[in-house]
């Protein structure tokens, strides 16, 4: 549960705001002027109680003062039953999505209030916002942005809390919580200059599972990811959005028809290819949290079809010796014909196991079995054992629920350190052994897992031309989106996780980049410590994106780490945001 601001002012006064894991140091000169730095609680310029009360009245009483979600795990608010529930669910995203200030990444939770520290350890706000606005209208967003500008407050936009880079929180800031903008409307006759047909309009807080259910109820499907609790109109589609349907329709951003947005100056607009086209272009793949606050998304609907799925599993015991890694290499070598037939494959490799899922709409079971023969045949030739399960479902929705359910929560945990790289087709064709050797090197000690999404998101598949939107151009040549992640160890000293993050930043990511020098990285599933992120995340689009940022947010009111325009700011060791 969460409480309104009037209920928790006394509690907040007890909360300190230490930051355990600063990312960037800010020089003392940056800290001497309120004109250069955003204000923090305790500053003379911080709004007083009367100012917060007036603001709360202006937004219909929707202001929520932050109590950390894990407060029941710490004195003086300890509740054994509530804490055990939180501990059991903490690594799953659903609970964080339903709480206004909660975020699901341990690095940015920074140990200040979680279920795994002893109850006598103080529960503090740390990197969390001080207040959130439970927005249910565009007017509330406009009022919130005006208040933040007038008081020099830092803003954070939180949809569901799915974020690996710290974009959805702001120490001492004011949060815009869009979770309850969750309307869904089916538009059977959407018409524009570029498209006429069925569409779905979803509020910014609509989670994927709800959109999937609504589309399925009328015999259609909509692009979204394999984590059903992600907010489709949030950073997912704004950052590009890969899907198990991408080899048929491209990226989620390729299907966007229009965005309903409140710009940083408080204007409520609709951005489409015909109206505010540069803003439409930027938000469609250029990343969330920086160009404006999205209120809703209108995107294409697609007729649903029967869908075949496949799951293949083997391990280092059933495929002993070199067979295990040779089979992993064979799998990647045979991905092109799979994705070019309209299927998408997800795989995960540890130092002992290999698991892959294939989603193949409009295929037959015989077709998918034949397409996997390149790896099953190899395993058979080595007398290795494996599990192959092929399924048929009457719709994509039923397939999704089988492979990635149960809904609404899904199967994915999110407490990770993470990095990624887009692997071009040319590299898989010509350097597949080198890629496989690097995967082996990454996972050999058991601290890291390599996973991948194989797809065809080319312009030909998407049905558009280069420059149509701001999706990183590296996606169009990619065969595999490789993700490297380390599960957060709650029992390890923080120094262990810091060492893993350093290893990711200084060894794993550079090694992947050395094999793929002309490629890029998916900005939504990436290392927050990524070097040269402007080029790596945005490619040739960055200069144009920055121009859009300067046009619509010249004061830099909206800031998010590694978002377009973030290089104009630095974070101090105490979490204060200052102009660079």
């Amino acid at each position: 549960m969460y409480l309104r601001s009037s209920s928790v002012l006394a509690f907040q006064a007890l909360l300190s705001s230490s930051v355990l894991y600063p990312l960037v140091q800010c020089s003392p000169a940056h800290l001497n002027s309120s004109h250069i730095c955003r204000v923090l609680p305790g500053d003379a310029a911080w709004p007083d109680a009367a100012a917060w009360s007036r603001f709360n009245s202006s937004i219909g009483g929707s202001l929520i003062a932050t109590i950390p979600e894990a407060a029941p795990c710490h004195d003086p608010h300890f509740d054994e039953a509530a804490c055990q529930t939180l501990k059991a669910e903490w690594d799953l995203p659903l609970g964080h999505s339903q709480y206004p200030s909660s975020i699901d990444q341990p690095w940015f939770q920074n140990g200040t209030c979680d279920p795994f520290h002893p109850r006598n350890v103080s529960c503090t706000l740390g990197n969390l916002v001080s207040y959130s606005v439970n927005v249910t209208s565009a007017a509330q967003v406009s009022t919130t942005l005006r208040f933040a500008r007038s008081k020099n407050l830092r803003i954070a936009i939180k949809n569901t809390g799915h974020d690996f880079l710290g974009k959805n929180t702001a120490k001492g800031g004011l949060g815009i919580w869009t979770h309850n903008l969750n309307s869904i409307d089916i538009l059977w006759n959407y018409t524009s200059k570029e498209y006429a047909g069925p569409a779905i309009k979803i509020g910014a807080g609509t989670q994927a599972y709800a959109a999937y259910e609504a589309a399925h109820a009328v015999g259609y499907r909509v692009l979204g990811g394999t984590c059903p609790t992600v907010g489709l109109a949030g950073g997912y589609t704004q950052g590009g959005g890969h899907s198990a349907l991408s080899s048929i329709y491209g990226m989620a951003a390729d299907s966007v028809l229009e965005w309903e947005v409140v710009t940083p100056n408080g204007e409520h607009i609709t951005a489409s290819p015909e109206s505010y086209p540069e803003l439409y272009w930027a938000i469609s793949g250029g990343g969330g949290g920086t160009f404006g606050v999205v209120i809703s998304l209108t995107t294409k609907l697609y007729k649903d079809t029967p869908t075949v799925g496949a799951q293949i599993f083997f391990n280092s015991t059933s495929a002993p010796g070199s067979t295990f890694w040779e089979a992993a290499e064979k799998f990647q070598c045979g991905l092109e014909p799979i994705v070019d037939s309209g299927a998408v494959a997800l795989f995960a490799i540890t130092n002992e196991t290999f698991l892959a899922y294939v989603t193949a709409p409009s295929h037959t079971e015989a077709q998918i079995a034949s397409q996997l023969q390149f790896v099953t045949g190899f395993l058979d030739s080595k007398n290795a054992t494996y599990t192959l399960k092929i399924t048929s479902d009457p719709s994509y929705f039923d397939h999704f629920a089988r492979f990635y359910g149960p809904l609404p929560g899904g199967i994915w945990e999110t407490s990770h350190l993470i990095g990624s790289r887009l692997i071009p087709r040319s590299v898989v064709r010509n350097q597949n052994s080198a890629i496989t050797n690097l995967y082996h090197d990454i996972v050999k000690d058991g601290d890291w897992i390599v996973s991948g999404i194989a797809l065809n998101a080319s312009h030909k598949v998407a049905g558009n031309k280069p420059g149509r939107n701001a999706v990183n151009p590296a996606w169009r040549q990619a065969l595999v989106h490789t993700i490297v992640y380390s599960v957060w160890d709650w029992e390890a000293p923080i120094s262990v996780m810091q060492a893993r993050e350093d290893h990711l930043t200084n060894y794993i990511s550079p090694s992947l980049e050395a094999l793929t020098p002309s490629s890029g990285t998916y900005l939504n599933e990436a290392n927050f410590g990524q070097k040269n992120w402007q080029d790596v995340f945005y490619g040739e689009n960055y200069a144009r994106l920055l121009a859009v940022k300067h046009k619509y947010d010249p004061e830099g009111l909206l800031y998010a780490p590694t978002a377009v325009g973030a290089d104009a700011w630095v974070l101090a060791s105490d979490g204060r945001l200052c102009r660079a």
Side-chain angles (χ1 to χ4, degrees):
M1 296 295 292
Y2 54 87
L3 302 177
R4 299 288 179 185
S5 58
S6 58
S7 305
V8 296
L9 290 176
F11 180 84
Q12 268 204 311
L14 300 174
L15 298 176
S16 67
S17 49
S18 61
V19 177
L20 299 184
Y21 325 141
L23 301 184
V24 180
Q25 296 291 325
C26 182
S27 66
H30 284 122
L31 308 182
N32 295 328
S33 171
S34 61
H35 298 291
I36 296 175
C37 298
R38 300 295 186 212
V39 299
L40 287 175
D43 291 349
W46 180 256
D48 60 20
W52 285 111
S53 180
R54 289 191 297 272
F55 171 58
N56 190 31
S57 296
S58 72
I59 54 173
S62 293
L63 187 65
I64 303 165
T66 297
I67 293 179
E69 186 180 12
C73 292
H74 300 273
D75 293 330
H77 304 281
F78 184 77
D79 181 320
E80 177 69 30
C83 184
Q84 288 304 315
T85 298
L86 284 167
K87 185 176 291 187
E89 299 176 353
W90 197 253
D91 292 331
L92 301 170
L94 185 60
H96 298 291
S97 73
Q98 299 170 340
Y99 199 89
S101 60
S102 191
I103 56 177
D104 60 12
Q105 285 309 300
W107 187 277
F108 298 101
Q109 294 166 8
N110 76 345
T112 52
C113 192
D114 61 55
F116 302 98
H117 282 77
R119 61 180 288 181
N120 62 349
V121 173
S122 297
C123 173
T124 66
L125 291 188
N127 284 330
L128 300 181
V129 295
S130 292
Y131 293 89
S132 298
V133 178
N134 178 19
V135 298
T136 54
S137 70
Q140 288 176 319
V141 174
S142 297
T143 300
T144 299
L145 293 174
R146 287 193 294 269
F147 178 76
R149 178 181 290 105
S150 69
K151 302 300 182 181
N152 193 25
L153 300 174
R154 183 178 168 190
I155 286 285
I157 305 167
K158 185 203 167 184
N159 184 340
T160 62
H162 292 76
D163 179 69
F164 295 105
L165 297 102
K167 292 182 176 182
N168 54 9
T169 193
K171 176 189 168 74
L174 178 58
I176 296 176
W177 188 41
T178 63
H179 180 69
N180 290 309
L181 291 170
N182 52 16
S183 61
I184 301 176
D185 295 302
I186 304 296
L187 309 176
W188 289 114
N189 298 301
Y190 182 92
T191 303
S192 68
K193 290 182 179 179
E194 298 187 356
Y195 176 77
I200 185 170
K201 182 178 181 180
I202 56 176
T206 302
Q207 292 176 279
Y209 73 87
Y212 298 162
E213 290 171 345
H216 175 64
V218 294
Y220 282 76
R221 59 195 182 203
V222 61
L223 262 73
T226 58
C227 181
T229 55
V230 165
L232 293 189
Y236 168 76
T237 300
Q238 292 178 54
H242 62 75
S243 169
L245 295 170
S246 285
S247 293
I248 303 175
Y249 308 120
M251 304 293 284
D254 293 324
S255 289
V256 173
L257 297 168
E258 61 184 50
W259 299 97
E260 183 184 5
V261 185
V262 175
T263 62
N265 69 1
E267 186 180 3
H268 182 200
I269 66 169
T270 298
S272 72
E274 301 164 21
S275 176
Y276 300 92
E278 69 258 276
L279 193 58
Y280 166 86
W281 174 85
I283 298 176
S284 300
T290 191
F291 299 107
V293 181
V294 168
I295 305 299
S296 73
L297 159 69
T298 302
T299 189
K300 295 176 184 177
L301 279 177
Y302 298 98
K303 191 68 177 176
D304 209 347
T305 63
T307 300
V308 168
Q311 180 187 92
I312 184 169
F313 173 84
F314 55 90
N315 60 37
S316 57
T317 300
S318 65
S322 62
T323 300
F324 178 86
W325 283 104
E326 289 173 2
E329 184 174 339
K330 287 283 186 183
F331 180 83
Q332 190 156 264
C333 188
L335 288 172
E336 277 198 71
I338 291 178
V339 303
D340 289 346
S341 71
V344 167
L346 282 72
F347 63 89
I349 310 173
T350 73
N351 59 348
E352 297 179 339
T353 62
F354 179 98
L355 173 67
Y357 293 150
V358 179
T359 296
S362 302
H363 285 55
T364 65
E365 291 190 16
Q367 284 175 315
I368 200 64
S370 175
Q371 288 180 330
L372 290 172
Q373 180 64 32
F374 65 91
V375 65
T376 58
F378 171 79
L379 289 166
D380 288 336
S381 73
K382 297 292 185 176
N383 295 316
T385 57
Y386 57 90
T387 301
L388 175 64
K389 182 179 180 180
I390 298 178
T391 61
S392 295
D393 287 293
S395 70
Y396 171 74
F397 178 83
D398 293 305
H399 163 82
F400 184 93
R402 180 200 294 266
F403 274 61
Y404 301 110
L407 302 180
I411 63 174
W412 304 119
E413 295 185 350
T414 53
S415 295
H416 302 141
L417 294 172
I418 189 170
S420 69
R421 189 68 174 174
L422 296 170
I423 312 296
R425 286 177 177 241
S426 60
V427 174
V428 177
R429 290 172 187 167
N430 301 319
Q431 300 184 69
N432 195 29
S433 294
I435 297 170
T436 306
N437 289 339
L438 179 56
Y439 290 172
H440 186 190
D441 183 58
I442 291 169
V443 306
K444 63 184 179 183
D445 294 329
D447 292 336
W448 294 90
I449 298 169
V450 169
S451 66
I453 298 94
L455 76 177
N456 180 355
S458 64
H459 286 295
K460 181 179 179 181
V461 167
N464 58 25
K465 297 179 180 179
R468 177 64 173 77
N469 54 38
V471 170
N472 189 331
W475 273 108
R476 308 307 182 179
Q477 288 78 44
L479 177 61
V480 180
H481 165 41
T482 291
I483 302 171
V484 179
Y485 67 96
S486 180
V487 176
W488 193 270
D489 187 344
W490 292 104
E491 296 182 355
I494 187 57
S495 59
V496 170
M497 303 312 294
Q498 289 172 327
R500 291 186 192 177
E501 169 59 28
D502 290 343
H503 181 63
L504 173 64
T505 300
N506 297 313
Y507 176 74
I508 294 177
S509 291
S511 297
L512 286 165
E513 291 162 18
L515 282 174
T516 58
S518 62
S519 191
T521 293
Y522 181 35
L523 63 89
N524 279 342
E525 293 170 334
N527 177 16
F528 61 83
Q530 174 66 50
K531 300 173 182 178
N532 193 27
W533 56 264
Q534 296 91 333
D535 178 62
V536 172
F537 292 170
Y538 304 96
E540 64 191 47
N541 291 331
Y542 192 75
R544 183 179 172 189
L545 286 165
L546 191 60
V548 176
K549 171 69 172 176
H550 290 161
K551 177 177 180 179
Y552 286 95
D553 190 15
E555 299 175 8
L557 179 63
L558 298 181
Y559 164 87
T562 73
V564 173
D567 37 4
W569 299 84
V570 290
L571 282 171
S573 58
D574 64 351
R576 187 183 297 272
L577 184 67
C578 301
R579 280 284 185 183

